[in-house]
Amino acid sequence: MAAAHLLRLLSLMTVLQQVNGFSIRVPKTVVAVEGTCVMVPCQTDPYERVNWYQYHNLKYPIVYDGFYTHNVEQKFRGRTKVLGNAAEGNCTLTIDNVSTADHNLRVYVWINPDSQTTQKFHDQTVTISVERKAPIIYIQKQIVEGEIFQANCSIIYSCPSLPPSLQWNLNTFLENYTFVDFHMEVHGQWFYKKTLRGVATYLMNNSRISCSAKFKTFTMGSQQMTLNISYKPVTVRVKKEKKVVAEGDSIMIECVANSNPPPHKYLWFIRQLDQHKIENSTQSKKHFSNIVRDTSLSCMAQNALGVQQSIWVDLDVQYPPVILPESSCHLTGDVLRCVCLVDASPNASIYWTINGNYTHLSSFASALTNKKHVIFEEIKITVKTQTNVSCTGRNPHGSDTKQIPAVSLSESSLMWLMLPGMIFLFGCAVLIYRKYPVKRIQTFFRLFFGGGHVQQQQINNNFRRSQNEDTQLDLQRPDRDLEMERLSCVYDNDFLEEMQRSARSQHHQNSETLLQSKNETEPLDENLYCNTRVCLKC
């Protein structure tokens, strides 16, 4: 099939040369690609035998002889062949492994060389021109991230039976990429194209891509192409001119964005002492002045394809020490315990002055707190007289000193300990006054705060009188009040049960006294429990 294509092209490319007996159609020139083979088209009348010769002024070097291969020149031996059908007059010559040594080689065909003829075949020469072909690469000019990327690698070769292989050289990978091969005959030669397709990513931007053609004896590479992938900002970060800044100073900040094309607009987010500000800019760098502590920055970069914001960055703002109001001294007996809290950046060193003299203490504790840049130091010393204690915090930006007054821990804590008890007693008194008769209140207060035989006798009498009065009141109440009495008694039960437990504990302590007076008075426990059961059974 390839020979048929060559013969059709031969009719257009060659000049018909007439000789006695045979008409031969051959081209005047043929282009061969180094590293492959070359076909020299030839068409004539049906023949019996054919030879090819190299043109020479004096000799007849044989390029191809199908019958006497030993007569073929050494440099052509095993490289030449004629595969056409003699009956059809196809005398096309194939030369394999074309090299630069074959450049400008002139050959001619001899039909039936054993016959007696006067025709001049050497007048019909074909010149072979050898070229070293490199693959050609083509890529799209405009590539956007996420869209289909396509690149072509192509090469021209002269031997359909031995085409070169094309390979892509990538230093980055496409997503979901595929290869497509395409072959086509063009003007007596063959065109080979290998297409690469895939999804473009921002990682491919500025990467180099090339392809290579591998022949039998060597490999040729294409020129390298740099990919230009357009994508929105993918990584944005805040870059500080310097790592630390003193409070009140200024600093240059840069918003660094990875995008193509570069951002054309920037937004700056400033957070200072819980205040938020937003500033616009067309420049990636911005100057910030009068920096205060607790300052955080973030920036947003925007190009034609999208926007992206950086993470928040805290500025390392340094400032002189400040002794915090929480610093204190407490005196317990003759032991003075002092705590000094200092806010400073960088962290401060703490020094103590006792009675106006700097003191190097051998026993102290120092640690960080859960608040950034705040440290504390604690000392414990034994004192016998009034002592003045001062705390000093120092760092490279300055110092602060504060005298810490000593507070007696017993006096200060007694007030706080008594206050909850007083509130509790007051509440109990109000509750008892609202729920129980005056006589019962007096009885219970005597029970808990009194003591002795006479008081016990009075308590027993009061209980009996109280029980009799309750019985008389119950007889006088209308029936419609009985339900309310039962309902209120439920609340009385809780209080009486509590008092009963307390009474048991109190009488257990005074059990001997009660046993000695048993004949003179009625048992308190029996009356008390009886009175309690009356209420519990309501």
Side-chain angles (χ1 to χ4, degrees):
M1 181 179 293
H5 286 297
L6 288 174
L7 293 176
R8 288 197 299 269
L9 293 171
L10 179 63
S11 63
L12 300 175
M13 298 171 57
T14 62
V15 176
L16 181 62
Q17 302 183 32
Q18 295 288 342
V19 294
N20 293 332
F22 288 94
S23 62
I24 300 174
R25 294 189 294 275
V26 292
K28 288 186 176 182
T29 58
V30 171
V31 178
V33 177
E34 182 185 5
T36 180
C37 68
V38 62
M39 298 180 68
V40 182
C42 176
Q43 184 67 37
T44 185
D45 300 330
Y47 60 88
E48 295 179 359
R49 182 180 169 207
V50 63
N51 280 1
W52 282 85
Y53 295 86
Q54 179 181 1
Y55 182 82
H56 196 274
N57 291 331
L58 299 177
K59 298 186 295 183
Y60 297 90
I62 297 177
V63 175
Y64 169 77
D65 188 339
F67 285 86
Y68 306 102
T69 56
H70 60 278
N71 292 331
V72 176
E73 292 289 318
Q74 184 64 36
K75 63 179 180 179
F76 296 113
R77 193 173 298 175
R79 295 176 55 203
T80 58
K81 55 183 176 288
V82 173
L83 300 178
N85 190 344
E88 296 177 354
N90 187 345
C91 51
T92 298
L93 172 69
T94 300
I95 304 176
D96 293 331
N97 300 327
V98 176
S99 66
T100 54
D102 300 320
H103 183 59
N104 289 329
L105 174 67
R106 294 177 66 187
V107 295
Y108 58 92
V109 65
W110 194 304
I111 305 299
N112 296 334
D114 295 332
S115 64
Q116 298 294 325
T117 180
T118 59
Q119 68 183 90
K120 299 178 180 180
F121 292 100
H122 52 77
D123 291 337
Q124 313 160 53
T125 60
V126 179
T127 302
I128 299 175
S129 176
V130 178
E131 298 179 352
R132 173 169 283 197
K133 294 284 188 179
I136 300 173
I137 188 172
Y138 171 79
I139 61 175
Q140 302 165 254
K141 293 182 178 180
Q142 185 69 27
I143 309 172
V144 179
E145 181 188 23
E147 296 183 356
I148 297 298
F149 164 80
Q150 179 172 308
N152 296 321
C153 179
S154 61
I155 193 169
I156 300 292
Y157 62 99
S158 56
C159 183
S161 61
L162 190 63
S165 62
L166 292 178
Q167 294 179 344
W168 283 100
N169 305 318
L170 303 171
N171 57 5
T172 185
F173 290 98
L174 291 168
E175 292 183 358
N176 303 321
Y177 63 92
T178 57
F179 297 107
V180 178
D181 293 336
F182 175 75
H183 295 265
M184 182 178 67
E185 181 186 358
V186 178
H187 302 303
Q189 293 186 322
W190 279 261
F191 174 77
Y192 176 26
K193 179 176 71 174
K194 193 178 189 72
T195 300
L196 171 65
R197 290 194 183 100
V199 179
T201 67
Y202 77 92
L203 298 174
M204 297 168 53
N205 188 50
N206 290 328
S207 63
R208 294 183 174 274
I209 184 173
S210 64
C211 67
S212 58
K214 186 175 182 181
F215 295 90
K216 186 175 181 179
T217 57
F218 66 94
T219 300
M220 286 293 292
S222 70
Q223 64 174 338
Q224 282 191 337
M225 303 288 288
T226 301
L227 298 180
N228 183 18
I229 310 296
S230 299
Y231 56 96
K232 69 177 184 179
V234 290
T235 55
V236 180
R237 62 185 179 90
V238 173
K239 182 180 179 181
K240 299 180 289 186
E241 178 188 31
K242 47 189 176 182
K243 293 183 178 180
V244 298
V245 57
E247 190 172 31
D249 286 355
S250 60
I251 188 173
M252 182 70 71
I253 305 293
E254 182 179 3
C255 186
V256 181
N258 178 13
S259 67
N260 187 32
H264 62 271
K265 184 179 180 181
Y266 297 89
L267 286 178
W268 290 94
F269 302 89
I270 305 101
R271 187 168 58 197
Q272 292 179 331
L273 300 175
D274 296 330
Q275 295 182 356
H276 297 262
K277 295 188 298 183
I278 301 177
E279 298 181 6
N280 295 322
S281 176
T282 58
Q283 303 297 323
S284 62
K285 294 184 178 181
K286 187 170 179 60
H287 185 266
F288 293 90
S289 59
N290 195 23
I291 300 298
V292 299
R293 66 189 70 178
D294 298 329
T295 297
S296 302
L297 296 173
S298 175
C299 69
M300 178 181 290
Q302 177 180 354
N303 67 2
L305 299 176
V307 298
Q308 185 66 279
Q309 183 177 353
S310 72
I311 63 174
W312 285 91
V313 174
D314 297 330
L315 297 185
D316 188 0
V317 182
Q318 296 190 350
Y319 49 90
V322 175
I323 307 296
L324 298 182
E326 291 82 0
S327 302
S328 62
C329 285
H330 295 284
L331 180 63
T332 305
D334 59 351
V335 177
L336 182 63
R337 175 181 174 271
C338 296
V339 176
C340 183
L341 287 91
V342 183
D343 183 9
S345 178
N347 292 336
S349 299
I350 297 178
Y351 305 89
W352 296 92
T353 302
I354 300 177
N355 291 331
N357 297 319
Y358 168 72
T359 302
H360 179 71
L361 299 170
S362 59
S363 176
F364 65 89
S366 180
L368 295 172
T369 65
N370 57 2
K371 186 177 180 182
K372 190 177 181 181
H373 300 308
V374 175
I375 65 171
F376 80 92
E377 190 169 291
E378 179 186 28
I379 62 171
K380 291 182 180 180
I381 58 176
T382 302
V383 297
K384 297 182 179 179
T385 61
Q386 183 176 359
T387 304
N388 296 322
V389 178
S390 296
C391 171
T392 300
R394 290 197 186 102
N395 74 358
H397 298 279
S399 63
D400 186 25
T401 301
K402 181 180 179 181
Q403 183 174 352
I404 307 175
V407 178
S408 175
L409 184 61
S410 58
E411 295 177 0
S412 61
S413 59
L414 181 60
M415 182 181 299
W416 293 103
L417 291 174
M418 290 177 62
L419 183 59
M422 294 172 64
I423 295 174
F424 175 74
L425 291 175
F426 178 76
C428 291
V430 173
L431 179 63
I432 295 173
Y433 177 79
R434 295 182 59 183
K435 284 192 173 184
Y436 301 100
V438 177
K439 293 182 179 180
R440 285 189 181 179
I441 295 174
Q442 294 174 351
T443 300
F444 289 133
F445 270 88
R446 291 192 185 99
L447 177 63
F448 284 98
F449 298 103
H453 176 72
V454 177
Q455 291 176 342
Q456 296 296 339
Q457 179 65 36
Q458 294 175 354
I459 290 171
N460 292 335
N461 295 333
N462 288 337
F463 268 102
R464 284 195 298 270
R465 287 196 299 268
S466 176
Q467 184 175 0
N468 294 332
E469 290 174 358
D470 290 343
T471 304
Q472 294 176 3
L473 289 173
D474 290 339
L475 295 175
Q476 297 174 2
R477 289 175 182 170
D479 293 338
R480 55 187 175 89
D481 292 335
L482 292 177
E483 188 65 22
M484 294 301 296
E485 180 65 19
R486 293 190 185 96
L487 185 60
S488 65
C489 189
V490 173
Y491 298 96
D492 294 344
N493 289 341
D494 297 335
F495 179 81
L496 289 174
E497 288 175 352
E498 181 65 24
M499 302 307 293
Q500 180 181 352
R501 287 192 294 269
S502 300
R504 287 175 179 172
S505 176
Q506 179 69 22
H507 287 300
H508 177 72
Q509 297 176 0
N510 300 325
S511 59
E512 294 181 359
T513 304
L514 294 177
L515 290 173
Q516 292 175 0
S517 59
K518 184 175 182 182
N519 296 327
E520 298 178 5
T521 61
E522 295 181 21
L524 176 62
D525 289 346
E526 181 179 353
N527 288 307
L528 178 60
Y529 297 156
C530 181
N531 190 44
T532 303
R533 285 193 294 270
V534 170
C535 187
L536 291 174
K537 291 181 179 180
C538 69

